[in-house]
C-alpha cells in the first residue's frame, strides 16, 4: 500500500518522504526496503484476536502494506480478509487531503494507522503545539512530558529508535527544517483521537526518518486494544471514515 505523494502532485513531497532503497520483501516488513507511506491495518504489532468461535492471526505491521491496491488516479482500494480500505487523495487550496473509508462484511475490531516515513534532516524540529505527557512503548515503556518543540534526537535513548504515543488530544504536528520551511500534518481528531511518533535514526530505514502516525486507537497491538476495550469496530452498515491533510508551510 506504499504511496508517493509526489506522484499525485503534492508540492515538494519527494523532499519530505524518505524514498526506499532496494526491493520490498512482502513477507517481512522490517526486513524490506523501508520508506514512502504505508497503511497499517488491522494492527501494527503482530497479534491474535478473537473471531467467532476461534481466533484470527494478524502479521507485523498488519496485512495491507504488502497487498496490491486497485484503482487509478487518486482513488484506490485494498481488500484485507473481508475488509475494504478505500483512500482518495485530492488537492485543495493549501495542500493534499487524504480521505479514507473502511467497511467490513462482518463486525470486527480494527486498528488503522498511517505510516509515512519522513526524512529527518539535521536540524529538524518536531512541533507539537504544546507540552504534554507522551507514552513511550519502544524500546522500553515510560511516560514523560514532551515539550512543544523537540529535537528528534532528544526523544531517543539509543540507536534502537523510539515509538511514542500521545496521551492528550492533538490534531496536528509540524516538521520544521532549519530554513523554517515546514510540513504540517493534520487529521480528523474525532475519528483519529491519537497519534504516534516513530523516530528511527537509520537503524531500520536506510537513513534517519520520522513517522507521524495518526491512528484509530493508541495501541500497537489490536489484541491489546481489544483487551482494554479501546478498539473501534467496523461492520455491515457501520463503516469508519477519517481524513488527513498535508500542507507545506514557510
Amino acid at each position: 500500500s506504499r504511496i508517493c505523494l509526489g506522484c499525485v502532485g503534492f508540492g515538494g513531497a519527494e523532499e519530505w518522504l524518505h524514498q526506499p532503497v532496494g526491493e520490498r520483501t512482502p513477507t517481512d516488513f522490517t526486513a524490506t526496503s523501508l520508506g514512502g507511506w504505508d497503511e497499517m491495518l488491522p494492527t501494527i504489532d503482530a497479534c491474535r484476536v478473537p473471531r467467532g468461535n476461534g481466533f484470527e492471526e494478524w502479521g507485523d505491521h498488519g496485512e495491507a502494506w504488502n497487498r496490491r491496491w486497485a484503482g487509478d488516479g487518486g482513488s484506490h482500494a485494498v481488500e484485507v480478509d473481508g475488509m475494504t480500505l478505500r483512500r482518495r487523495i485530492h488537492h485543495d487550496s493549501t495542500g493534499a487531503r487524504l480521505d479514507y473509508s473502511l467497511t467490513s462484511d462482518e463486525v470486527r475490531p480494527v486498528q488503522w494507522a498511517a505510516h509515512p516515513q519522513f526524512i529527518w534532516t539535521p536540524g529538524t524540529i518536531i512541533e507539537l503545539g504544546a507540552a504534554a505527557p507522551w507514552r513511550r512503548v519502544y524500546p522500553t515503556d515510560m511516560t514523560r512530558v514532551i515539550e512543544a518543540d523537540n529535537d528528534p534526537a532528544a526523544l531517543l535513548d539509543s540507536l534502537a529508535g523510539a515509538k511514542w504515543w500521545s496521551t492528550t488530544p492533538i490534531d496536528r504536528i509540524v516538521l520544521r527544517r532549519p530554513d523554517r520551511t515546514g510540513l504540517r500534518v493534520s487529521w480528523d481528531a474525532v475519528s483519529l483521537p491519537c497519534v504516534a511518533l516513530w523516530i528511527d535514526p537509520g537503524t531500520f530505514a536506510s537513513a534517519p526518518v520520522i513517522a507521524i502516525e495518526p491512528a484509530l486507537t493508541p495501541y500497537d497491538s489490536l489484541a491489546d486494544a481489544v483487551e482494554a476495550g479501546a478498539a473501534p469496530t467496523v461492520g455491515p452498515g457501520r463503516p469508519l471514515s477519517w481524513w488527513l491533510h498535508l500542507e507545506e508551510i514557510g
Side-chain angles (χ1 to χ4, degrees):
S1 66
R2 179 178 291 163
I3 64 174
C4 166
L5 296 182
C7 298
V8 295
F10 173 67
E14 292 289 0
E15 298 178 5
W16 290 100
L17 280 174
H18 172 66
Q19 298 306 301
V21 177
E23 297 296 323
R24 166 143 278 193
T25 303
T27 57
D28 188 338
F29 185 87
T30 56
T32 196
S33 172
L34 297 178
W37 183 310
D38 287 299
E39 313 286 355
M40 306 291 98
L41 177 81
T43 188
I44 302 171
D45 285 353
C47 65
R48 185 175 78 155
V49 297
R51 182 179 184 183
N53 295 323
F55 293 88
E56 57 187 354
E57 303 275 351
W58 297 120
D60 181 39
H61 285 77
E63 305 289 349
W65 66 269
N66 58 356
R67 301 199 182 204
R68 189 175 299 277
W69 289 55
D72 53 35
S75 297
H76 297 84
V78 66
E79 301 283 339
V80 178
D81 194 24
M83 292 179 285
T84 302
L85 178 65
R86 295 178 175 85
R87 179 185 63 211
R88 179 173 178 260
I89 306 173
H90 59 99
H91 306 284
D92 57 26
S93 60
T94 59
R97 176 173 165 131
L98 290 74
D99 285 294
Y100 292 85
S101 66
L102 179 66
T103 57
S104 175
D105 60 10
E106 63 181 276
V107 176
R108 65 208 310 174
V110 67
Q111 164 68 305
W112 170 90
H115 191 58
Q117 297 184 67
F118 298 114
I119 298 168
W120 173 4
T121 55
T124 294
I125 295 297
I126 302 173
E127 299 179 359
L128 302 176
W134 286 64
R135 178 173 57 95
R136 191 180 70 187
V137 297
Y138 176 88
T140 57
D141 292 349
M142 68 173 292
T143 299
R144 73 172 174 87
V145 172
I146 294 180
E147 299 303 319
D149 297 338
N150 297 272
D151 175 355
L155 303 180
L156 295 173
D157 286 343
S158 72
L159 294 178
K163 177 74 172 283
W164 296 87
W165 280 103
S166 62
T167 65
T168 57
I170 180 173
D171 65 1
R172 67 196 62 199
I173 292 176
V174 173
L175 296 182
R176 184 79 65 178
R177 289 180 171 168
D179 64 2
R180 301 306 297 164
T181 59
L183 178 68
R184 179 186 291 129
V185 183
S186 56
W187 54 89
D188 175 359
V190 174
S191 297
L192 304 175
C194 53
V195 63
L197 286 171
W198 165 242
I199 314 295
D200 175 12
T203 301
F204 295 94
S206 61
V209 298
I210 301 165
I212 299 172
E213 306 182 6
L216 293 173
T217 186
Y219 292 87
D220 285 88
S221 166
L222 176 60
D224 289 348
V226 170
E227 183 177 357
T233 57
V234 61
R238 296 166 58 181
L240 298 175
S241 62
W242 61 90
W243 56 264
L244 308 178
H245 189 265
L246 305 176
E247 179 183 358
E248 290 184 301
I249 56 179

